[in-house]
Amino acid sequence: MTKELLRYFRHKQKDHASETLFDTQCPFCSVQCAMQFVEERVVGRNCYKVIPKDNSTSNGRLCIKGLHAHQHALHTERLQFPLLKRNGRFVRVSWEEALSFIQINFKNIQKEFGNDAIGVYGGGSLTNEEAYLLGKFARVALKTKYIDYNGRYCMSAAAAAMNATFGLDRGLTNKLSEIPHARCIILAGTNVAECQPTIMPYFHQAKKNGTFFIVIDPRETATCGLADLHIKIKPGTDVAFVNGMLKVIFAEGYVDEQFVKERTEGYDELKKHIEQIQLDEMAEMTGIAPEVIQFAARQYATAPTGMIFTARGVEQQTNGYMTVRNFLNLALVTGKIGKIGCGYGAITGQGNGQGGREHGQKADQLPGYRSIENPEHRKYIASVWGVPEEELPRKGVSAYEMIQKIDEGEIKGLFVMGSNPVVSSPNARFVKRALKKLQCLVVVDLFLSETAELADLVLPTSSYLEDEGTMTNLEGRVTWRPASRKRPGEVKHDWEILCEIARVLGKGDYFRFSSAEEIFHELRVASRGGLADYYGITYERLRNERVYWPCPSPDHPGTARLFEQSFAHPDGKARLAVVDNEYQKKQTTEQYPIYVTTGRVLSHYLSGTQTRRSPALASRQIEAFMEIHPNTAKKYKIENNALVKLETKRGYAIVRSKYSYKIREDTVFVPFHWSGFQNINQITDDELDPYCKMPGFKRCAARIIPVVDLERN
Ligand code: SF4
């Protein structure tokens, strides 16, 4: 039958009365593309399709992940009922039994070991309402100080650096539509083409406008197609590269003296530091010739406008915080911030990586970017929540440190919502071993993820097609995600689960919500007057527009461009930082002679719990791989498409080799979306950045052994 005839036949058989259409947003990356999901009955079968929908960020575009996201939401492996582990096997239980299990176990643990013996582990894909409620749940219902979330592994370096430099952290200081106005763009450790493909047209437009692109990456990624200059840098040496650029900028007189004088602090110290730096040394450290560093510096400094974007490639390092601070130095000394086409962006990874870090999921934070250690902030939030200020816990520890506290026996029970730390944490074998020590692990998820498999109790939650809420995209723009598809089985929304657990713990009065909108209303009030002020944003507004925060009143238009007149520190000035090259001196060793770096591929998302269950996405990349330069492969006797073992002192992973001339000879690349022996996080570095506690995912020294050798031995 020809395609035309088949189409005609299908049309004739379509039961139009049964067609249902849902407005929603893609659940994956931080662009939050809008779409419509259509269900229809054709020839007696359910058929599904996705129609991209226009909005002012993605302008009607969807990437392959968005087009197929519904495949996981409709997957037969979706959890539909609470599951309790009995004698090592999960059995279906009622919600009453599940809640009673939590009530008894959490209360017993807290009675015996204190409130802080229960930890809470959240996620950057939760809606704003649920992230907010999870923070309140930890502090009010459980009264524990131990709460953190997987965004610690994502945005913490950039967020901490922006806070320290500008006094405020928002992913992009400018709206995306300003990108075509920048005459020089630096993309450092960001593979936009594969991670946020629908924003590429902004960069393509800039290219058409004559923008000069500098792409810094040890690999020639799809994003390098934009590059006029590709800096194929040695992993982890970005600080030295930027110090080299600053050397040139200072030496050749490109500093915007007036801007620096009027709007920054710390210039003299930075100048003194840069004067001591030798360009040749920076070239040696980074593997980039001095002339290339000079050329990059001149291009950026002399362009009339310029933007810098960083992402996990430079941030997921044990000096990620200082690396970002150095990129911000670059923007500040050249005066390229707070104007059209001039700014900085940390391209957020997770769907709600921005909103998820603003309203209380972080260990040291209260809603609206308030600090849990600030007396005024504590007082205000306590008044909104109706609890005595002295009952609010103090700050806890970061995500990976919580795992360490589990291992040490200080945390005995853990509540995980929207995260899969067994796959996504560094040193994953240790993480798995630690979680097994828990007296009680409760996991809320769509699927029996690798973390859920270890749980005592698993609670089924709703998907993006079913769960309404707001998300804040990479621009700092709050978006409303409608969702109205019926939930399968006995699935509940995350926020309903939190309210019900709070009730059985005797704290139901603080969690009397009957809709996401009601929670958002409380969030607005809680954020009022904070740095991330959402007070002026309402569901009514969001049904018609996407609003940039801060937005302090309902008649406020929202703040698209930050720092036009002043920065957010009390004196209005930004802080320059002295950034040394200490970390760059760490090298590979004879035992572990090659750098491993990790990242994403186009068709997968984070730990792959969802995308590995989407046939259309999984089939595009069914397994992990190790991208290796053919010269390196020859050295280690590795054939193309052969199984290899990558090993560090923390463990090993087995993946298939893939020859590529696009990677440095001293580095291999492995994506992180797979579990089991393919999980590359079994070898990644769990040393933490001292400032933001970001683990050093992006560079670890390892050795490669062909699996054939292992078999022979
Ligand atoms: Fe848009 Fe990101 Fe989803 Fe792709 S993954 S459709 S870019 S939100």
Side-chain angles (χ1 to χ4, degrees):
M1 196 182 291
T2 65
K3 274 187 183 167
E4 286 71 26
L5 266 176
L6 191 60
R7 219 173 284 137
Y8 173 76
F9 179 69
R10 279 165 59 95
H11 181 74
K12 292 295 280 180
Q13 296 296 315
K14 203 189 273 186
D15 175 2
H16 286 281
S18 73
E19 184 175 288
T20 325
L21 194 139
F22 305 95
D23 280 348
T24 186
Q25 278 176 194
C26 174
F28 296 131
C29 88
S30 57
V31 185
Q32 288 298 297
C33 302
M35 62 170 90
Q36 288 181 319
F37 172 69
V38 183
E39 279 187 45
E40 56 194 9
R41 294 285 293 175
V42 179
V43 201
R45 295 181 57 190
N46 287 342
C47 291
Y48 309 100
K49 72 178 176 204
V50 167
I51 305 168
K53 204 178 162 198
D54 204 14
N55 69 27
S56 44
T57 306
S58 56
N59 297 322
R61 295 180 286 269
L62 281 179
C63 80
I64 186 85
K65 286 195 283 291
L67 279 171
H68 298 291
H70 60 282
Q71 291 186 343
H72 81 259
L74 304 177
H75 201 281
T76 51
E77 288 176 16
R78 274 282 302 274
L79 299 174
Q80 300 199 23
F81 311 97
L83 298 174
L84 186 65
K85 201 175 267 168
R86 283 193 187 131
N87 302 322
R89 293 171 66 100
F90 281 116
V91 292
R92 176 179 167 180
V93 292
S94 67
W95 275 99
E96 287 69 29
E97 284 173 276
L99 291 168
S100 157
F101 177 87
I102 296 174
Q103 181 193 35
I104 293 166
N105 282 279
F106 280 13
K107 279 200 164 177
N108 283 347
I109 289 172
Q110 290 193 311
K111 201 171 157 195
E112 191 174 355
F113 302 103
N115 289 345
D116 296 334
I118 302 286
V120 175
Y121 196 108
S125 296
L126 302 179
T127 62
N128 288 324
E129 292 79 355
E130 285 154 353
Y132 165 78
L133 208 61
L134 191 65
K136 180 177 175 182
F137 173 78
R139 276 70 180 238
V140 175
L142 291 171
K143 293 189 179 175
T144 177
K145 66 178 177 182
Y146 288 131
I147 173 168
D148 212 56
Y149 77 126
N150 64 16
R152 180 71 65 172
Y153 299 158
C154 183
M155 297 306 298
S156 61
M162 287 181 87
N163 274 327
T165 306
F166 302 142
L168 172 70
D169 149 44
R170 195 182 81 181
L172 303 192
T173 58
N174 307 54
K175 51 187 175 181
L176 284 164
S177 57
E178 287 192 24
I179 289 172
H181 296 278
R183 290 286 70 88
C184 180
I185 292 178
I186 298 177
L187 294 166
T190 173
N191 185 6
V192 187
E194 292 199 62
C195 300
Q196 294 84 13
T198 58
I199 65 168
M200 279 300 276
Y202 294 107
F203 294 103
H204 289 143
Q205 186 55 50
K207 191 85 190 161
K208 274 190 204 147
N209 295 351
T211 300
F212 188 87
F213 276 87
I214 301 169
V215 179
I216 306 172
D217 203 306
R219 295 169 68 214
E220 229 173 277
T221 63
T223 306
C224 286
L226 290 167
D228 296 285
L229 180 63
H230 176 204
I231 307 292
K232 214 167 179 173
I233 197 164
K234 198 184 285 183
T237 64
D238 307 273
V239 157
F241 182 76
V242 179
N243 274 337
M245 285 181 77
L246 288 167
K247 177 80 186 173
V248 177
I249 287 167
F250 278 75
E252 299 187 7
Y254 296 131
V255 173
D256 184 335
E257 303 280 354
Q258 192 183 347
F259 184 92
V260 164
K261 192 167 157 235
E262 290 172 4
R263 301 201 51 191
T264 70
E265 284 287 332
Y267 176 67
D268 292 340
E269 292 85 346
L270 177 63
K271 188 166 177 241
K272 210 164 131 196
H273 169 64
I274 295 297
E275 276 167 3
Q276 293 162 3
I277 278 174
Q278 303 305 319
L279 190 57
D280 285 349
E281 272 184 36
M282 301 303 105
E284 173 79 31
M285 282 181 186
T286 57
I288 305 298
E291 303 74 34
V292 176
I293 301 177
Q294 268 167 346
F295 182 60
R298 288 171 190 152
Q299 287 295 328
Y300 176 72
T302 60
T305 51
M307 294 176 93
I308 300 172
F309 296 91
T310 67
R312 306 310 81 73
V314 300
E315 297 161 16
Q316 284 180 329
Q317 313 264 0
T318 51
N319 70 341
Y321 164 82
M322 289 313 272
T323 304
V324 177
R325 290 213 69 178
N326 224 16
F327 277 107
L328 299 182
N329 280 340
L330 208 53
L332 289 168
V333 298
T334 55
K336 287 189 170 61
I337 190 127
K339 296 178 276 196
I340 186 163
C342 290
Y344 166 73
I347 301 189
T348 311
Q350 295 192 78
N352 199 25
Q354 179 66 53
R357 70 180 190 263
E358 296 165 357
H359 299 294
Q361 274 194 99
K362 277 174 73 183
D364 57 352
Q365 190 197 58
L366 290 172
Y369 269 149
R370 287 185 164 89
S371 163
I372 203 159
E373 293 296 327
N374 180 310
E376 288 305 309
H377 293 184
R378 292 173 62 84
K379 216 163 118 192
Y380 177 70
I381 294 301
S383 75
V384 174
W385 288 348
V387 296
E389 181 264 318
E390 57 279 7
E391 280 189 13
L392 286 181
R394 294 281 165 176
K395 78 171 177 184
V397 297
S398 71
Y400 193 76
E401 290 170 310
M402 278 211 308
I403 307 278
Q404 289 170 324
K405 292 212 173 283
I406 292 168
D407 182 58
E408 290 157 7
E410 191 177 332
I411 296 177
K412 308 276 185 192
L414 188 69
F415 181 79
V416 180
M417 181 169 262
S419 192
N420 189 10
V422 166
V423 178
S424 59
S425 302
N427 199 2
R429 281 154 56 105
F430 163 75
V431 172
K432 195 170 176 178
R433 276 200 308 272
L435 294 189
K436 282 182 179 172
K437 291 184 180 178
L438 285 163
Q439 281 185 26
C440 182
L441 173 61
V442 178
V443 174
V444 183
D445 210 314
L446 292 169
F447 297 103
L448 206 56
S449 69
E450 290 75 7
T451 305
E453 278 173 11
L454 302 181
D456 300 288
L457 177 69
V458 184
L459 302 176
T461 189
S462 50
S463 77
Y464 75 104
L465 290 172
E466 300 135 15
D467 188 24
E468 180 190 30
T470 63
M471 312 283 274
T472 304
N473 81 352
L474 76 169
E475 299 172 282
R477 220 166 176 186
V478 185
T479 74
W480 169 63
R481 183 182 74 193
S484 48
R485 191 170 190 272
K486 192 172 169 299
R487 287 170 275 174
E490 294 176 7
V491 161
K492 290 184 189 288
H493 300 310
D494 287 335
W495 63 265
E496 287 177 323
I497 294 170
L498 293 172
C499 293
E500 295 201 8
I501 299 175
R503 179 177 54 78
V504 299
L505 294 175
K507 299 288 178 183
D509 285 350
Y510 302 97
F511 294 83
R512 291 199 185 283
F513 300 103
S514 58
S515 69
E517 186 169 0
E518 279 182 21
I519 302 166
F520 188 76
H521 179 67
E522 188 179 291
L523 181 161
R524 290 174 55 221
V525 176
S527 75
R528 191 175 193 181
L531 286 166
D533 191 336
Y534 279 41
Y535 185 67
I537 306 172
T538 61
Y539 264 44
E540 201 182 335
R541 265 182 96 169
L542 291 174
R543 287 187 182 104
N544 301 308
E545 59 175 328
R546 297 181 143 202
V547 187
Y548 295 89
W549 69 258
C551 181
S553 62
D555 58 356
H556 190 283
T559 314
R561 190 184 306 127
L562 296 173
F563 314 134
E564 286 179 294
Q565 304 301 327
S566 69
F567 294 96
H569 284 300
D571 62 2
K573 291 187 176 184
R575 306 288 189 266
L576 293 162
V578 169
V579 184
D580 65 33
N581 298 297
E582 204 54 43
Y583 172 78
Q584 278 63 35
K585 289 175 187 153
K586 283 173 69 179
Q587 296 295 336
T588 50
T589 61
E590 208 175 302
Q591 194 184 8
Y592 299 113
I594 194 130
Y595 292 121
V596 177
T597 190
T598 66
R600 291 191 192 184
V601 295
L602 177 65
S603 59
H604 283 282
Y605 180 69
L606 303 188
S607 73
T609 307
Q610 294 158 49
T611 50
R612 282 187 271 126
R613 288 180 169 88
S614 166
L617 298 175
S619 60
R620 285 175 170 249
Q621 187 63 56
I622 57 164
E623 60 180 5
F625 58 88
M626 176 190 72
E627 200 172 280
I628 184 168
H629 195 285
N631 294 346
T632 317
K634 200 171 159 194
K635 190 169 153 194
Y636 295 107
K637 300 188 177 56
I638 290 163
E639 307 219 337
N640 195 18
N641 216 19
L643 288 178
V644 292
K645 186 180 184 191
L646 278 158
E647 195 170 55
T648 65
K649 60 182 180 201
R650 293 169 289 279
Y652 67 87
I654 296 177
V655 292
R656 201 172 290 284
S657 65
K658 187 174 172 184
Y659 283 8
S660 171
Y661 285 97
K662 295 183 173 179
I663 189 148
R664 288 175 59 92
E665 292 187 25
D666 57 4
T667 305
V668 296
F669 167 83
V670 182
F672 52 54
H673 311 291
W674 287 270
S675 61
F677 60 82
Q678 295 189 76
N679 181 6
I680 194 62
N681 278 327
Q682 292 178 116
I683 71 166
T684 47
D685 194 352
D686 62 354
E687 188 185 339
L688 304 179
D689 182 311
Y691 298 95
C692 62
K693 310 296 179 181
M694 169 73 86
F697 287 106
K698 280 297 185 286
R699 186 176 88 149
C700 69
R703 63 171 167 236
I704 316 174
I705 309 162
V707 167
V708 65
D709 278 6
L710 293 171
E711 285 167 357
R712 276 191 202 123
N713 294 334

